Amino acid sequence: KGVPYYWSVEMEDANGIPTAGPTWSFTALCAFVPSKAVGSYHSVSPPSDWNSEGDITITADPTNQYKVSVVGIEALEGVTEDKGPLVMNIDPVNHEVTAPKVVIASLAFGYHNLAYAGTGTYNACDGSYQMDFTISADEGSFGTFAFTFTRNP
């Protein structure tokens, strides 16, 4: 995400009649600041999705500032996160986020090897993440669910 800019061209034809050209737009990404991509976050997945809300922690990989780990996303629901963590990779060019499939908990509500995998975007302007996670277990997939992570004050 970034700041959108729009412009159009107004001109006159050979007879002096004003005409408007097309409108163009582009989005300028905010600069990536590593400290803004980590810390204490509030996670929300609305009732129409996974129906989960609470605080999580996002930490940086010590050798790669574009690789972060999420802890606490299932602990919100009382599940012990004995596996994982959920790793997310931020593309340095366009700030798209990928999260390879990883088992977070060996047991969750009677299901085995609860796993998350997903895609989304990182907004370097405010430090938020918009993610879609496919949540599955050995017994099958629960589907894909929207999550928003916003920085806590």
Side-chain angles (χ1 to χ4, degrees):
K1 296 242 176 189
V3 179
Y5 292 92
Y6 303 92
W7 79 93
S8 64
V9 177
E10 293 185 17
M11 45 197 152
E12 290 183 2
D13 68 12
N15 298 317
I17 298 172
T19 60
T23 299
W24 293 280
S25 70
F26 70 94
T27 300
L29 293 176
C30 293
F32 181 81
V33 177
S35 62
K36 208 172 187 180
V38 298
S40 176
Y41 276 75
H42 192 70
S43 171
V44 175
S45 181
S48 59
D49 281 283
W50 193 244
N51 192 21
S52 171
E53 182 173 357
D55 290 339
I56 60 172
T57 302
I58 300 178
T59 57
D61 182 276
T63 61
N64 181 351
Q65 65 184 356
Y66 297 103
K67 183 178 181 181
V68 298
S69 296
V70 178
V71 175
I73 197 164
E74 275 301 312
L76 298 175
E77 301 181 47
V79 173
T80 300
E81 293 183 8
D82 59 342
K83 303 280 185 168
L86 173 59
V87 173
M88 301 191 310
N89 299 295
I90 303 166
D91 185 301
V93 175
N94 59 18
H95 299 170
E96 290 180 2
V97 179
T98 57
K101 183 177 179 179
V102 64
V103 173
I104 295 176
S106 58
L107 187 64
F109 309 108
Y111 295 98
H112 301 91
N113 296 317
L114 186 72
Y116 277 60
T119 60
T121 57
Y122 171 70
N123 183 335
C125 300
D126 64 10
S128 66
Y129 296 83
Q130 296 289 328
M131 299 298 299
D132 290 315
F133 289 116
T134 300
I135 303 173
S136 62
D138 288 351
E139 292 79 6
S141 176
F142 297 101
T144 302
F145 305 94
F147 284 77
T148 301
F149 303 155
T150 53
R151 293 179 56 80
N152 284 323

